[in-house]
Amino acid sequence: MKNIYEIAKKANISEEFVIPYGLDKCKIDLSIEKSLSSKSNGKLVLVTAITPTKAGEGKTTTSIALADGLNKIGIPALLCLREPSLGPVFGIKGGATGGGKASVVPIDDINLHFTGDMHALTSSINLISAIIDNHIYQGNELRIDSNRIVWKRALDMNDRALRSVTVSQNDKKATPRNDEFVITVASELMAILCLSTSKEDFKNRINEIVIAYDFDGKPVRLRQLRISNAIMKLMNAAFNPNLVQTMEGNPCLMHGGPFANIAHGCNSLIATRLALKLSPIVVTEAGFGADLGAEKFLDIACRVGEVVPDAVVMVATIRALKMHGGQAFEDLTNENVEALKLGVSNLKQHMDNMAKYHVPAVVCINHFSSDTEKETEFLKKWCTEQGFKVCFCDAFEKGAEGAVELAHTVDDLLKTTKTNYSPIYKLDDSIKNKIETICKEIYRAGKVEYSDLALKQIVEYEKLGFSSSYICIAKTPQSFTDDAKVLGAPQGFTITIREVRLSAGAKFIVPLTGSIMTMPGLPKIPAAVKMEDAD
């Protein structure tokens, strides 16, 4: 690894703005923004993917590869990624630093404690909960209804045992109540960090958080607890974006890490907007498939941050497409063109969705050694027939050299095709209409059903003046539907909204679909156990 000051210099960041965390990582002092205010923005490239499967798609790997590839062909590019959560690291996915020679380093530091941002967020979230319960204990001046406290405690770990807990037990003066934990990366505070454009914006947003309702049904906001300054103290260092490097020695800003199946799935706007002032091309990614992360990036993050996406890279693998076509995971190394012919429907549906935002897109096939010549030729021909630009990436094994084709394809797209970006729903539309626009236009549902609770919540939020909120749907990432078992490109199905939560500080509404959980559980054999086996 190169010294982090050398990486900062490559990213056009002078020494005075570097806050070192050892020799290989640092934070960037936000005072740098003043010196860059007169500079024009570079171009923004979003990397997204088809519906994820066990076969693997390699979206982060491709994002890193694209940045490395662009630098390889002489085009300066700056990478923006999310910080990993300990939930996936020790759960199913493992780390979130790419793979093979297309990785960001130092891997263990990034995946684990890093620079303390997750700790700051988790501590802040739980401080709010502690203050709420203490306020009630000390006389409840705000008349908080303990049965209507909507702020949840958090832990950055998959722990299904914390989905439903009882707090304030065994104390005669306290009021026992049911509570639940969310994973830190799905909390509203994480969303606010990543959607804020400055420290001042962050403080204004947290003061607007609805933490509970009083006995008259009126919202109680965080500002009424008078703890925003304490939260700002806890979060002070976390506002500064983190700088690390790829294995090729190229700069990567890594800041914030909201899940895309529950939260909005994009790195911080602070980092993205900074990167756009520093580099002619910025590569970023959005979590899970394009129906989740890309939709939220294009409908929420771009509008909030006032940034325009110039191109989309849609990542797919032949293995994953064959799975969407019905081939069993265990048989994916065997050639199966017929399954591939069926599975490309998933890719097409995602590409057609991106066209609705009027942003030019390219298909990137992340190469596996098991891909056969017949499968590769079919996919190339099919993409050409559909009018999709397509390229292959082999950066896992070859590093930047394996991403040269991808880099040239994206560079050509940026030079020849202008974006006409526009979101798919209007903010002043009704909450239900916005939900149904996403469900029908992006997921391809035929019908949206609501539970009685969800309908009651929507009516309440509209009465309280939250009709113009963004929509951040929580849905399984493994299917266009709300059923994780349905692969391919289903259409005309029914999607069920069981609950609708308000994130007033983040300025969005969170409809929960199907059986989606805000605190994930661990698999039968967690990644944490596999680490022991590997040793």
Side-chain angles (χ1 to χ4, degrees), residues 49-127:
I50 62 170
T51 305
T53 67
K54 289 194 297 182
E57 289 69 49
K59 181 161 41 60
T60 305
T61 302
T62 304
S63 301
I64 298 165
L66 175 56
D68 282 341
L70 286 166
N71 280 286
K72 175 87 175 172
I73 63 173
I75 301 172
L78 187 48
L79 179 63
C80 285
L81 295 177
R82 292 173 297 159
E83 298 178 54
S85 161
L86 291 179
V89 167
F90 293 121
I92 293 177
K93 184 179 178 182
T97 54
K101 292 184 179 180
S103 298
V104 286
V105 289
I107 290 172
D108 283 349
D109 285 6
I110 293 169
N111 278 325
L112 302 176
H113 304 290
F114 202 21
T115 56
D117 294 348
M118 292 296 182
H119 173 266
L121 280 158
T122 304
S123 300
S124 300
I125 293 162
N126 292 330
L127 171 64

Side-chain angles (χ1 to χ4, degrees), residues 380-426:
K380 283 182 179 177
K381 183 181 178 183
W382 179 84
C383 284
T384 302
E385 289 172 349
Q386 298 297 320
F388 301 151
K389 287 180 179 287
V390 61
C391 59
F392 282 72
C393 181
D394 200 7
F396 184 93
E397 292 186 355
K398 298 180 181 179
E401 187 62 43
V404 168
E405 182 188 355
L406 169 62
H408 279 300
T409 304
V410 170
D411 180 45
D412 180 64
L413 189 68
L414 291 172
K415 288 176 177 175
T416 60
T417 312
K418 184 176 172 56
T419 181
N420 289 304
Y421 159 72
S422 61
I424 62 162
Y425 61 77
K426 295 179 180 178

Side-chain angles (χ1 to χ4, degrees), residues 224-245:
Q224 294 171 263
L225 297 177
R226 301 176 64 227
I227 58 170
S228 59
N229 283 346
I231 293 170
M232 294 300 288
K233 289 283 188 184
L234 272 173
M235 291 292 296
N236 187 49
F239 294 121
N240 299 316
N242 308 293
L243 179 69
V244 289
Q245 61 190 287

